[in-house]
């Protein structure tokens, strides 16, 4: 069976797409979508990706009006939280789990974001 290679993009509606894209660039380091043939798109580092549909009534995403939550892998949770806090953003860290550390925040349009520092297997 032919398989997909990974996630090629994440597309969602926004009240202000330009401002929201700038927020993700400024706070999480995600490059903007290229507007010419010479600029490469954002490249994520290879690593674990979890693809997990949740029950329609889950409370895991926080706001029940949200149908999705973005989870980003991070290399240094403490540094990322400090960076986001310095920018005035509230980040809530969860208790560590066997697969790593997690923290939550929302973007300016109240979309839930989860940060994940996987347990090192090296």
């Amino acid at each position: 069976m032919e398989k997909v290679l990974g996630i090629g993009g994440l597309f969602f509606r926004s009240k202000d797409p330009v401002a929201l894209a700038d927020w993700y660039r400024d706070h999480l380091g995600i490059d903007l979508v290229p507007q010419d043939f010479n600029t490469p798109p954002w490249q994520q580092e290879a690593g674990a990706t979890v693809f997990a549909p949740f029950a329609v009534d889950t409370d895991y995403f926080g706001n029940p009006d949200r149908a999705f939550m973005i989870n980003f892998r991070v290399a240094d949770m403490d540094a990322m939280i400090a960076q986001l806090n310095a920018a005035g953003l509230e980040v809530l860290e969860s208790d560590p789990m066997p697969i790593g550390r997690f923290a939550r925040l929302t973007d300016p349009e109240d979309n839930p974001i989860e940060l994940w520092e996987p347990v090192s297997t090296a």
Side-chain angles (χ1 to χ4, degrees):
M1 177 179 119
E2 188 67 23
K3 295 181 181 181
V4 298
L5 303 176
I7 296 173
L10 177 65
F11 310 101
F12 57 99
R13 290 181 173 92
S14 170
K15 295 173 198 156
D16 188 343
V18 173
L20 195 58
D22 288 346
W23 185 90
Y24 277 87
R25 179 200 59 213
D26 297 345
H27 296 291
L28 300 178
I30 298 173
D31 296 333
L32 300 176
V33 174
Q35 300 301 310
D36 59 57
F37 291 105
N38 298 318
T39 305
W42 173 60
Q43 296 288 318
Q44 65 177 325
E45 290 187 23
T49 300
V50 175
F51 182 83
F54 279 72
V56 71
D57 61 349
T58 186
D59 62 357
Y60 192 74
F61 302 169
N63 183 340
D65 294 334
R66 298 300 179 208
F68 71 91
M69 178 176 63
I70 304 171
N71 175 292
F72 293 109
R73 278 180 280 114
V74 300
D76 184 336
M77 184 70 76
D78 294 326
M80 179 60 80
I81 290 173
Q83 171 184 300
L84 294 168
N85 287 165
L89 300 173
E90 181 181 3
V91 181
L92 302 173
E93 190 168 5
S94 335
D95 292 331
M97 299 181 70
I99 62 170
R101 295 173 60 195
F102 293 88
R104 298 274 182 93
L105 68 150
T106 57
D107 71 20
E109 294 191 7
D110 202 33
N111 295 307
I113 298 169
E114 184 173 63
L115 305 175
W116 172 34
E117 181 183 353
V119 171
S120 176
T121 57

